């Protein structure tokens, strides 16, 4: 993964985050090229989850269950619904969740995120968006109605490999992702009804909430 900031800063922050207790999942992800949240960004995500202690948390993009397990361990009363369209990932995630003893608090749903978001659901206190980057605008629009009034949306990869700032050159294959993320970051910062912050950690993390009474 390309760094969006200085490698020695990332390494230093990751060393401070230290052992997650999920080294076996980090090793599996590395060996099998499964994209999981970077450890420095995980530290920030867990801080927010621990501070907010959401009752119901929705994660878009499960992979092997790494971030879902880490969030469940950080906040012992949080119920997590995590969505992935890859049946192999769902199976692997469920096995990892079972091993972690968290099957009663993490539900893995096999679905395209868009289909899931269009369904009927109780509201969530937090949404962590980490699925297909070229669909981030739709995920945002569809997540907002599912969010409690003081809910928080956290989005990973919003600075995607450092290619999102205007003027960066990038390979053709990244065109849809980069243009969506440019639109996404501009939109969340310009929308009157939203308050947002982007942190250059990991692959870029955005915090988004609805402004009260707008
Ligand atoms: C970056 S990984 C998630 C990593 C995980 N959140 C973690 O940090 O441990 C993204 C996942 O999103 C899933 N995905 C991609 N597009 C999707 C879609 N349209 N609907 C549901 N899942 C999708 C992929 O199968 C992949 O497992």
């Amino acid at each position: 993964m390309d760094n969006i900031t200085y490698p020695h800063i990332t390494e230093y922050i990751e060393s401070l985050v230290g052992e997650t207790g999920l080294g076996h999942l980090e090793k599996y992800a590395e060996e099998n090229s499964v994209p999981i949240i970077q450890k420095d960004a995980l530290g920030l995500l867990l801080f927010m989850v621990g501070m907010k202690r959401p009752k119901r948390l929705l994660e878009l993009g499960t992979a092997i269950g790494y971030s879902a397990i880490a969030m469940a361990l950080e906040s012992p009363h949080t119920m997590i619904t995590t969505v992935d369209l890859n049946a192999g990932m769902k199976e692997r995630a469920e096995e990892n969740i079972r091993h972690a003893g968290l099957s009663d608090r993490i539900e893995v749903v096999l679905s395209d995120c868009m289909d899931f978001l269009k369904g009927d659901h109780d509201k969530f206190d937090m949404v962590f968006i980490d699925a297909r980057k070229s669909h981030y605008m739709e995920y945002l629009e569809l997540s907002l109605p599912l969010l409690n009034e003081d809910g928080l949306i956290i989005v990973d990869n919003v600075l995607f490999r450092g290619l999102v700032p205007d003027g960066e050159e990038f390979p053709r294959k990244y065109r849809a992702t980069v243009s969506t993320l440019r639109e996404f970051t501009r939109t969340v910062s310009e929308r009157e009804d939203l308050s947002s912050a982007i942190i250059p950690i990991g692959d870029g993390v955005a915090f988004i909430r609805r402004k009260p009474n707008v």
Side-chain angles (χ1 to χ4, degrees):
M1 168 87 58
D2 297 346
N3 269 291
I4 63 163
T5 179
Y6 301 107
H8 70 289
I9 301 284
T10 302
E11 269 172 38
Y12 182 60
I13 297 175
E14 291 195 347
S15 76
L16 296 176
V17 171
E19 291 301 322
T20 55
L22 302 176
H24 58 298
L25 299 185
E26 290 156 12
K27 185 162 177 279
Y28 179 91
E30 169 96 45
E31 288 173 357
N32 294 279
S33 304
V34 177
I36 57 171
I37 187 167
Q38 285 176 242
K39 217 192 219 184
D40 52 346
L42 180 73
L44 179 64
L45 177 67
L46 295 184
F47 179 85
M48 294 308 292
V49 169
M51 200 171 80
K52 196 131 178 78
R53 293 171 189 264
K55 280 203 185 79
R56 285 171 45 79
L57 188 155
L58 172 64
E59 176 181 66
L60 303 180
T62 314
I64 57 171
Y66 174 71
S67 50
I69 292 171
M71 291 189 288
L73 292 173
E74 187 70 23
S75 180
H77 300 292
T78 296
M79 304 294 291
I80 299 178
T81 302
T82 178
V83 183
D84 207 295
L85 49 49
N86 182 320
M89 288 292 182
K90 172 178 155 61
E91 210 174 299
R92 171 73 53 179
E94 282 178 334
E95 194 182 313
N96 292 331
I97 290 163
R98 222 175 3 258
H99 267 118
L102 293 167
S103 302
D104 56 337
R105 286 202 292 122
I106 305 177
E107 182 196 10
V108 186
V109 177
L110 182 66
S111 168
D112 188 290
C113 291
M114 303 274 270
D115 295 335
F116 178 88
L117 289 167
K118 287 176 189 161
D120 229 3
H121 306 287
D122 289 340
K123 299 241 179 196
F124 292 94
D125 306 296
M126 190 178 287
V127 180
F128 174 46
I129 299 181
D130 193 19
R132 187 167 296 162
K133 288 168 269 299
S134 55
H135 288 176
Y136 271 17
M137 283 305 301
E138 290 96 330
Y139 294 162
L140 175 69
E141 292 303 343
L142 293 168
S143 294
L144 283 167
L146 293 180
L147 196 64
N148 270 328
E149 208 175 314
D150 59 350
L152 176 65
I153 299 180
I154 301 182
V155 192
D156 195 18
N157 309 106
V158 296
L159 297 177
F160 187 61
R161 297 167 184 250
L163 301 176
V164 174
D166 292 337
E168 289 290 339
E169 297 282 324
F170 54 85
R172 252 180 105 76
K173 62 178 177 181
Y174 294 145
R175 194 159 59 186
T177 295
V178 171
S179 69
T180 301
L181 291 173
R182 283 181 179 164
E183 186 190 355
F184 182 86
T185 46
R186 289 231 172 276
T187 302
V188 293
S189 69
E190 286 170 7
R191 267 181 63 160
E192 291 287 321
D193 59 332
L194 301 179
S195 173
S196 64
I198 293 175
I199 318 291
I201 195 168
D203 199 29
V205 175
F207 295 136
I208 304 166
R209 67 177 173 84
R210 228 186 262 105
K211 282 184 194 161
N213 307 320
V214 175

